[in-house]
């Protein structure tokens, strides 16, 4: 019998709604712009969506505050609940990209009573259907770990559906490698993940970018448990029918996470005097497109 946890989810996009759904049998709170408290999710393999509800968080004590906003909105979202942070025991950032975790860690140092910072990575697939509900499109795993490397003895108290990683920093970088290949290319070509393999022109670019990211990781001495080109191909195949999160952002003209994917990688490369020409080209071109949306 697991004890009830108090969990608040900040940001109820597709992944946030899925995480909230996993937490629905606990004391569930949500924080979102519209104060939405009723959600609908089509469970993986189900034919009818399930309805569930939450309570808008007003600052009552919580075991976990899980942030599922886009990377770029993290600090602004947290500043919105700054006066309630002393009620949070553990703060978990669960997003694509890198860079925002260090920004938050730095910001927390300026807070009088800061929660323990956790970071995580998820391979769950979810998207908003036109009918209004969220579809759990692909079953994945969510692994988390403390930002600081000290050992944590509360594996039984992790939020539902999550497991503890012995090296979360490595997991974040491994996810970054895959996102740095699939996301800019699908956004650039405006194509499904699988088309990166099936279209000969896209495939050529895919192979070149995979090699570039792989070499960059080796030069940065960032070890991965797998071959980056092979894993990128496996992920593109396994998610062939999906639109990547960045392509979805482009379709909806929303700010993309590329500054926290390609931008982060290029910053690391520059600090080590390394170059990544295709990443630079794609990032420059997509940033220019993004700039025209707000112009
Ligand atoms: O960002 C995404 O869409 C996903 O992380 C991935 C792995 C690229 C699959 O679509």
């Amino acid at each position: 019998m697991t004890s009830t946890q108090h969990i608040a989810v900040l940001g109820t996009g597709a992944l946030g709604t899925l995480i909230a759904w996993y937490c629905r049998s606990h004391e569930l709170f949500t924080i979102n712009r519209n104060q939405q408290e009723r959600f609908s999710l089509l469970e993986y393999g189900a034919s009818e969506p399930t309805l569930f509800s939450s309570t808008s968080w007003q600052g009552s004590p919580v075991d976990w505050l899980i942030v599922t906003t886009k990377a770029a909105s993290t600090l602004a979202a947290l500043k919105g609940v700054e006066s309630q942070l002393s009620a949070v025991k553990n703060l978990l950032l669960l997003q694509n990209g890198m860079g925002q975790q260090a920004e938050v860690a730095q910001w927390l140092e300026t807070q009088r009573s800061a929660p323990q910072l956790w970071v995580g990575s998820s391979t769950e697939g979810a998207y908003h259907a036109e009918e209004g509900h969220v579809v759990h499109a692909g079953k994945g795993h969510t692994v988390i770990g403390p930002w600081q490397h000290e050992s944590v003895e509360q594996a039984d108290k992790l939020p539902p559906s999550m497991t503890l990683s012995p090296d979360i920093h490595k997991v974040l970088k491994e996810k970054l490698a895959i996102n740095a290949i699939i996301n800019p290319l699908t956004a650039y070509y405006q194509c499904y993940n699988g088309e990166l393999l099936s279209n000969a022109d896209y495939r050529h670019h895919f192979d070149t970018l995979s090699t570039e990211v792989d070499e960059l990781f080796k030069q940065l001495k960032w070890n991965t448990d797998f071959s980056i080109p092979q894993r990128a191909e496996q992920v593109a195949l396994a998610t062939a029918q999906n639109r990547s999160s960045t392509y979805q952002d482009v379709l909806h003209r929303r700010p993309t996470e590329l500054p926290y994917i390609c931008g982060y990688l290029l910053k690391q490369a520059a600090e080590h005097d390394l170059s990544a020409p295709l990443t630079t080209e794609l990032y420059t071109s997509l940033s220019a497109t993004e700039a025209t949306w707000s112009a």
Side-chain angles (χ1 to χ4, degrees):
M1 192 49 203
T2 49
S3 56
T4 301
Q5 299 192 63
H6 290 68
I7 303 173
V9 179
L10 199 176
T12 46
L15 180 66
T17 303
L18 177 62
I19 297 298
W21 178 79
Y22 278 124
C23 300
R24 69 197 184 286
S25 59
H26 290 260
E27 205 58 60
L28 173 64
F29 302 94
T30 47
I31 306 139
N32 54 57
R33 242 176 265 133
N34 312 324
Q35 305 227 319
Q36 184 188 348
E37 294 182 330
R38 291 179 64 76
F39 301 90
S40 168
L41 182 126
L42 184 65
E43 221 175 306
Y44 186 73
S47 52
E48 290 293 324
T50 313
L51 292 172
F52 65 99
S53 57
S54 67
T55 307
S56 287
W57 189 53
Q58 304 297 338
S60 57
V62 286
D63 301 297
W64 292 93
L65 172 62
I66 306 174
V67 182
T68 58
T69 62
K70 293 277 180 191
S73 316
T74 314
L75 259 188
L78 282 172
K79 284 179 180 168
V81 294
E82 190 170 347
S83 62
Q84 299 163 9
L85 270 193
S86 57
V88 178
K89 199 164 164 203
N90 298 288
L91 169 65
L92 167 62
L93 306 181
L94 195 60
Q95 304 145 318
N96 270 343
M98 285 186 72
Q100 75 276 24
Q101 301 91 350
E103 283 170 17
V104 170
Q106 241 181 2
W107 178 71
L108 285 179
E109 281 172 19
T110 67
Q111 297 296 304
R112 246 182 301 132
S113 92
Q116 167 153 23
L117 180 61
W118 292 69
V119 294
S121 173
S122 182
T123 56
E124 294 274 21
Y127 66 89
H128 276 288
E130 273 163 21
E131 296 78 15
H133 55 258
V134 167
V135 179
H136 187 192
K139 258 192 189 286
H141 302 283
T142 301
V143 289
I144 70 172
W147 175 250
Q148 303 278 2
H149 279 292
E150 80 264 16
S151 69
V152 171
E153 291 167 15
Q154 43 175 318
D156 57 339
K157 299 249 185 68
L158 299 186
S161 85
M162 300 187 191
T163 51
L164 185 67
S165 161
D167 190 350
I168 194 65
H169 288 264
K170 186 178 189 183
V171 175
L172 290 182
K173 286 182 185 128
E174 288 178 341
K175 181 84 194 296
L176 181 76
I178 305 309
N179 285 136
I181 299 165
I182 296 181
N183 294 42
L185 282 177
T186 48
Y188 183 80
Y189 286 118
Q190 309 220 350
C191 70
Y192 287 92
N193 293 354
E195 289 176 86
L196 294 179
L197 306 177
S198 60
N199 177 301
D201 291 338
Y202 305 173
R203 172 81 209 209
H204 173 72
H205 242 146
F206 177 85
D207 288 340
T208 314
L209 188 57
S210 296
T211 306
E212 178 173 293
V213 172
D214 189 34
E215 275 169 12
L216 192 57
F217 265 58
K218 290 199 170 95
Q219 287 163 324
L220 289 167
K221 301 199 171 35
W222 289 356
N223 295 328
T224 52
D225 280 345
F226 48 73
S227 142
I228 290 175
Q230 266 176 27
R231 179 58 67 91
E233 184 166 343
Q234 283 164 1
V235 174
L237 204 60
T239 60
Q241 311 298 328
N242 296 3
R243 290 184 174 124
S244 78
S245 50
T246 307
Y247 174 27
Q248 290 183 46
D249 287 337
V250 168
L251 280 176
H252 293 101
R253 298 189 162 214
R254 293 186 298 238
T256 71
E257 292 168 315
L258 291 177
Y260 292 85
I261 299 174
C262 304
Y264 179 81
L265 208 50
L266 289 173
K267 206 164 152 221
Q268 297 297 318
E271 278 172 18
H272 293 83
D273 243 340
L274 301 167
S275 70
L278 185 50
T279 303
T280 307
E281 194 186 314
L282 286 165
Y283 185 45
T284 308
S285 159
L286 289 162
S287 304
T289 306
E290 218 174 301
T292 63
W293 303 335
S294 50

